[in-house]
Amino acid sequence: MKVLHVISETPPSFLNHLKELTFIERKPLRFCAERLTSLVRTLELMNIEDYQPLQEVATFATLIATYETGFLLILEPFESETATVPNPILHFTCLDAAIAIQPVFDRFSSVIITSGTMSPLDMYPKMLNFGTVIQKSYTMTLARKSFLPMVVTRGSDQGMVSSGFQIRNDPSVVRNYGNLLTEFCKLTPDGVVVFFPSYLYMESIISMWQGMGILDVVWKYKLILVETPDSQETSLALETYRTACNNGRGAVLLCVARGKVSEGIDFDHHYGRTVLCIGVPFQYTESRILKARLEFLRETYRIKENEFLSFDAMRHAAQCLGRVLRGKDDYGIMVLADKRFQKKRSQLPKWIQQALEDKYSSLSVDQAAAAAKAFLREMSVPWTRAEQEGVSTWGPEDLARHKAKMEVEEIRRLEEEAMNSNGAMTGDVIMEDEFGGDEFDDAVLAGLDM
């Protein structure tokens, strides 16, 4: 640990160094976590939280002794790039996602992987190292268009909006993002959720919005809440957010695309009528862990760096958009606010792609606000569950009709296959002459004349 430069090594290399210094073999390390759990149970210890650091060390020892490939240890001597006093940080990172899902494939003969945000599908078999028997992407069946996806590429001043590194802190770009937030807070009832690519960028934008007076305008329409890396603070912010939506005050929640809110929190119905995705949520490309994973994917699965980074960013963007639509009777607005989304729309899930019309693929802030108003006006029309029957919701009769239709199609397919196979077996081609009879060979006709 007493080093002044970054060290990266594989588990076998680390274990060899460990054996040279401490004479500890690999085999006993594999059972550290299991033996610690057995010891805690035997001693009937109550305050298990007090032993959390010891449990983490035991888990680390077990993992590093179990896996030879797919993991990497990275030792960084400083907490940050600007730090001068050594404070080493040891990262033990998994580079191969296939390790996590392999026990599922080993245990079950048939596995169905399904999600509304898995796109593009071709990437998952490559990353997780498995072959697919059936691979399909389906659209969403709705009786009415209950969500409105759109791409905002420019502000009201026609200036480009993007979170690209070169222009992300440009005052005009930040102001246009602020105007976008203000307009949608004005027109959206109840809850608005805003996602940023990272905590650092979110803090920078909020600070600049405060100086521009944008947050003071937003405060007139919505309560402003912010997600933080602290889980307790985020839980309190979520509770306050839901309370504000319930009592009619309305709220806007500023959060991060890779944080707790984007992964597992649902904003159904009035808790999320609009979601704004500010910028493309790319990973921090200077991260040593990311660089190691990109190298592993390139060498092991032949996945290019740009291919994975784009796939990962659009997957997280789709997860953010899906937070506001949690059922067939729900509705919401999905805003992708970055010019780069215009070229990456093909990587969105199929159900979002088909709903994203060309006229909504390159809008200004004013055009997006006008489209959102028209959509919300349409959604305000009373809608009954009976109107969905037979279209987006099926009853027993609809299922029976569909089953009968599928059986007829299957019978027709089998009959066509049988006809094709019979034709292939005979292999005879019968040709008719101009008089309607069969066309005989000249040699046969000559034999008849004799």
Side-chain angles (χ1 to χ4, degrees):
M1 300 289 283
K2 296 180 180 180
V3 294
L4 296 178
H5 60 278
V6 178
I7 295 178
S8 298
E9 58 181 350
T10 61
S13 174
F14 177 83
L15 290 174
N16 288 335
H17 293 156
L18 184 68
K19 184 178 179 181
E20 292 175 0
L21 296 174
T22 63
F23 303 100
I24 298 177
E25 297 284 344
R26 174 181 177 177
K27 187 175 181 180
L29 291 176
R30 296 184 62 181
F31 305 99
C32 281
E34 183 180 349
R35 288 173 177 173
L36 178 61
T37 303
S38 177
L39 179 62
V40 170
R41 190 183 300 112
T42 302
L43 297 177
E44 298 182 355
L45 299 176
M46 301 301 295
N47 299 325
I48 302 178
E49 295 80 8
D50 298 339
Y51 302 94
Q52 184 66 26
L54 181 60
Q55 187 175 3
E56 291 180 359
V57 172
T59 303
F60 167 75
T62 299
L63 287 173
I64 203 168
T66 303
Y67 297 100
E68 295 185 358
T69 60
F71 284 85
L72 188 70
L73 286 108
I74 301 177
L75 178 61
E76 296 181 340
F78 302 101
E79 286 184 317
S80 64
E81 296 180 356
T82 59
T84 57
V85 179
N87 186 16
I89 300 175
L90 180 64
H91 301 279
F92 184 57
T93 179
C94 179
L95 307 178
D96 190 3
I99 294 175
I101 201 171
Q102 189 58 46
V104 178
F105 294 144
D106 294 339
R107 181 176 179 182
F108 300 99
S109 58
S110 299
V111 179
I112 299 175
I113 303 176
T114 177
S115 173
T117 56
M118 288 178 60
S119 179
L121 289 178
D122 295 337
M123 181 65 74
Y124 289 89
K126 289 163 59 175
M127 283 182 55
L128 301 179
N129 193 26
F130 70 91
T132 57
V133 179
I134 298 176
Q135 181 175 308
K136 286 185 180 272
S137 178
Y138 298 97
T139 59
M140 186 177 292
T141 306
L142 297 171
R144 66 171 180 172
K145 186 179 178 181
S146 58
F147 66 99
L148 177 65
M150 61 178 76
V151 178
V152 176
T153 59
R154 58 194 187 279
S156 302
D157 59 356
Q158 302 305 309
M160 180 178 65
V161 294
S162 175
S163 64
F165 184 76
Q166 295 81 3
I167 62 171
R168 59 167 47 188
N169 291 320
D170 188 280
S172 63
V173 174
V174 175
R175 186 177 293 106
N176 282 327
Y177 274 137
N179 293 337
L180 177 68
L181 175 63
T182 302
E183 289 296 325
F184 275 88
C185 285
K186 286 181 182 178
L187 63 91
T188 304
D190 301 317
V192 177
V193 188
V194 185
F195 289 100
F196 294 85
S198 65
Y199 284 107
L200 186 64
Y201 184 55
M202 179 176 68
E203 292 171 1
S204 173
I205 291 290
I206 291 175
S207 177
M208 295 181 71
W209 280 348
Q210 183 66 43
M212 295 176 179
I214 291 174
L215 294 183
D216 295 332
V217 179
V218 173
W219 187 266
K220 296 178 182 178
Y221 303 96
K222 304 288 182 187
L223 187 67
I224 302 174
L225 297 159
V226 182
E227 178 190 11
T228 67
D230 186 89
S231 59
Q232 291 185 347
E233 291 180 356
T234 300
S235 298
L236 182 60
L238 282 169
E239 184 180 350
T240 308
Y241 174 84
R242 294 183 182 276
T243 302
C245 292
N246 288 334
N247 62 24
R249 171 68 171 92
V252 54
L253 181 62
L254 309 178
C255 41
V256 176
R258 300 174 186 277
K260 173 185 176 182
V261 173
S262 67
E263 296 293 339
I265 306 298
D266 294 339
F267 296 95
D268 56 325
H269 300 287
H270 65 290
Y271 294 125
R273 290 305 184 198
T274 295
V275 57
L276 301 178
C277 196
I278 303 293
V280 183
F282 284 111
Q283 293 192 54
Y284 177 55
T285 53
E286 295 302 314
S287 166
R288 292 186 176 89
I289 295 176
L290 176 61
K291 288 181 178 179
R293 189 177 187 193
L294 291 175
E295 182 180 355
F296 175 84
L297 292 174
R298 184 181 66 252
E299 295 178 353
T300 308
Y301 298 126
R302 301 292 185 267
I303 298 175
K304 298 179 180 178
E305 288 90 341
N306 291 338
E307 183 183 3
F308 173 77
L309 290 173
S310 182
F311 153 78
D312 182 70
M314 295 307 293
R315 178 173 65 90
H316 281 281
Q319 284 185 335
C320 295
L321 298 180
R323 295 300 97 195
V324 300
L325 195 69
R326 311 310 297 175
K328 291 182 181 278
D329 57 346
D330 200 0
Y331 68 89
I333 301 169
M334 305 173 179
V335 183
L336 296 164
D338 194 305
K339 186 178 182 180
R340 294 172 294 178
F341 280 121
Q342 195 175 7
K343 296 181 179 179
K344 298 181 179 296
R345 54 185 292 191
S346 61
Q347 293 180 295
L348 290 168
K350 190 174 181 180
W351 60 277
I352 299 180
Q353 284 186 46
Q354 293 198 345
L356 181 56
E357 302 176 23
D358 290 338
K359 62 181 179 180
Y360 297 131
S361 63
S362 180
L363 301 178
S364 66
V365 172
D366 294 338
Q367 292 172 333
K373 288 178 182 177
F375 172 78
L376 291 173
R377 194 178 302 115
E378 183 181 348
M379 291 297 103
S380 65
V381 177
W383 184 259
T384 61
R385 188 174 293 273
E387 296 177 71
Q388 302 180 30
E389 294 179 359
V391 182
S392 58
T393 58
W394 279 3
E397 296 178 357
D398 299 304
L399 289 171
R401 281 195 296 268
H402 178 72
K403 184 178 179 181
K405 179 182 176 182
M406 295 300 294
E407 289 176 352
V408 171
E409 291 180 356
E410 181 67 15
I411 292 172
R412 186 182 295 114
R413 185 184 65 81
L414 293 174
E415 290 176 348
E416 290 177 355
E417 289 181 356
M419 292 177 62
N420 293 335
S421 62
N422 290 336
M425 289 174 62
T426 56
D428 296 328
V429 179
I430 300 176
M431 302 177 64
E432 291 187 350
D433 62 11
E434 55 183 336
F435 301 105
D438 294 339
E439 187 175 349
F440 294 98
D441 188 83
D442 290 341
V444 177
L445 292 175
L448 291 175
D449 290 339
M450 294 176 62

